[in-house]
Amino acid sequence: QKEVEQNSGPLSVPEGAIASLNCTYSDRVSQSFFWYRQYSGKSPELIMSIYSNGDKEDGRFTAQLNKASQYVSLLIRDSQPSDSATYLCAVKDAGNNRKLIWGLGTSLAVNP
Amino acid sequence: DTGVSQNPRHKITKRGQNVTFRCDPISEHNRLYWYRQTLGQGPEFLTYFQNEAQLEKSRLLSDRFSAERPKGSFSTLEIQRTEQGDSAMYLCASSLRRVGINEKLFFGSGTQLSVL
């Protein structure tokens, strides 16, 4: 059973701090990784994708991938209250490129 | 590009009734997915289309669920004889699958179904 695991949280950080969200996956041959943000009652919104080991930066967001350790993380710099949401990690199934394997999400609360 | 559009946004129905949802994907996207999500869970895969062909359907999906994508454009998801356990957010996503392009899924706003 291929799995993606995330700490459910809630993760609480003060405004302006760095929020660090982590995700581990079981299938070591996975190649494509995604972070989605989901506000309560809304649909998931793609915020980052990463395919190679190392860091990928986009504005205040940095995705980090370590395939040897099978983890992918998301850093949010200068956290804002509007970043308060659930962050879902998704990993493309290497055996079926049409499928994403989803974590249950980490709830982030940024306190003003 | 107006994004993925889903209708209706909310649907309340009585148990045993049939419901149909519509999804209009991003125009150039050739893949279309239906997912279902309940509170505290990640999206659960239901079915997938490449153009007009339905190529995969979750084994968890009962015979009461059917989906179509005529002409490879919009898609409909029908649930017959709804049950209370069908209450969930139904999400449609689309993507562009081409050689050399990393596929990314973009979701619509979802249809929240409540079965009374």
Side-chain angles (χ1 to χ4, degrees):
Chain A
Q1 178 83 357
K2 297 174 184 177
E3 293 181 336
V4 173
E5 294 192 351
Q6 298 180 252
N7 187 326
S8 63
L11 173 66
S12 184
V13 300
E15 184 174 356
I18 295 176
S20 178
L21 304 160
N22 298 312
C23 169
T24 59
Y25 59 95
S26 62
D27 188 353
R28 62 177 55 252
V29 299
S30 296
Q31 298 291 322
S32 303
F33 307 87
F34 306 89
W35 282 100
Y36 284 82
R37 177 176 62 199
Q38 187 171 28
Y39 293 112
S40 180
K42 304 296 185 183
S43 61
E45 174 192 5
L46 179 65
I47 53 173
M48 290 288 285
S49 59
I50 188 166
Y51 310 97
S52 306
N53 272 332
D55 295 0
K56 179 181 176 184
E57 188 174 318
D58 184 359
R60 295 186 296 112
F61 298 98
T62 299
Q64 298 175 319
L65 175 60
N66 184 325
K67 291 184 178 179
S69 300
Q70 294 175 232
Y71 82 77
V72 56
S73 61
L74 180 70
L75 301 178
I76 307 175
R77 288 182 300 283
D78 187 24
S79 296
Q80 302 296 309
S82 59
D83 295 326
S84 299
T86 295
Y87 289 81
L88 294 162
C89 174
V91 178
K92 182 161 281 188
D93 186 341
N96 179 346
N97 69 13
R98 298 179 289 272
K99 277 198 174 167
L100 286 176
I101 305 165
W102 294 84
L104 298 182
T106 297
S107 175
L108 171 67
V110 181
N111 305 309
Chain B
D1 177 3
T2 57
V4 180
S5 176
Q6 288 188 249
N7 287 290
R9 294 292 301 275
H10 304 275
K11 180 69 178 179
I12 300 174
T13 191
K14 292 183 179 178
R15 189 176 53 187
Q17 298 295 304
N18 299 344
V19 294
T20 300
F21 309 141
R22 177 179 170 123
C23 172
D24 288 88
I26 294 171
S27 58
E28 67 269 25
H29 284 187
N30 51 5
R31 284 189 172 180
L32 186 147
Y33 299 78
W34 285 100
Y35 284 85
R36 176 172 62 189
Q37 188 178 27
T38 53
L39 201 61
Q41 301 294 314
E44 175 193 11
F45 171 80
L46 295 179
T47 190
Y48 141 79
F49 292 84
Q50 173 114 358
N51 300 311
E52 68 276 8
Q54 186 176 18
L55 297 185
E56 191 165 351
K57 188 174 174 181
S58 169
R59 277 171 281 180
L60 300 174
L61 214 58
S62 79
D63 291 343
R64 298 183 296 105
F65 288 72
S66 62
E68 294 182 340
R69 192 184 182 197
K71 302 177 184 177
S73 56
F74 72 92
S75 175
T76 58
L77 177 68
E78 181 182 17
I79 309 174
Q80 296 181 325
R81 305 181 302 282
T82 51
E83 301 172 356
Q84 287 183 326
D86 297 331
S87 296
M89 173 80 86
Y90 288 82
L91 296 165
C92 176
S94 71
S95 69
L96 178 63
R97 175 63 178 167
R98 260 191 216 153
V99 174
I101 293 181
N102 288 309
E103 183 183 9
K104 299 176 185 177
L105 260 61
F106 295 90
F107 285 86
S109 54
T111 295
Q112 182 67 52
L113 173 66
S114 298
V115 182
L116 305 178

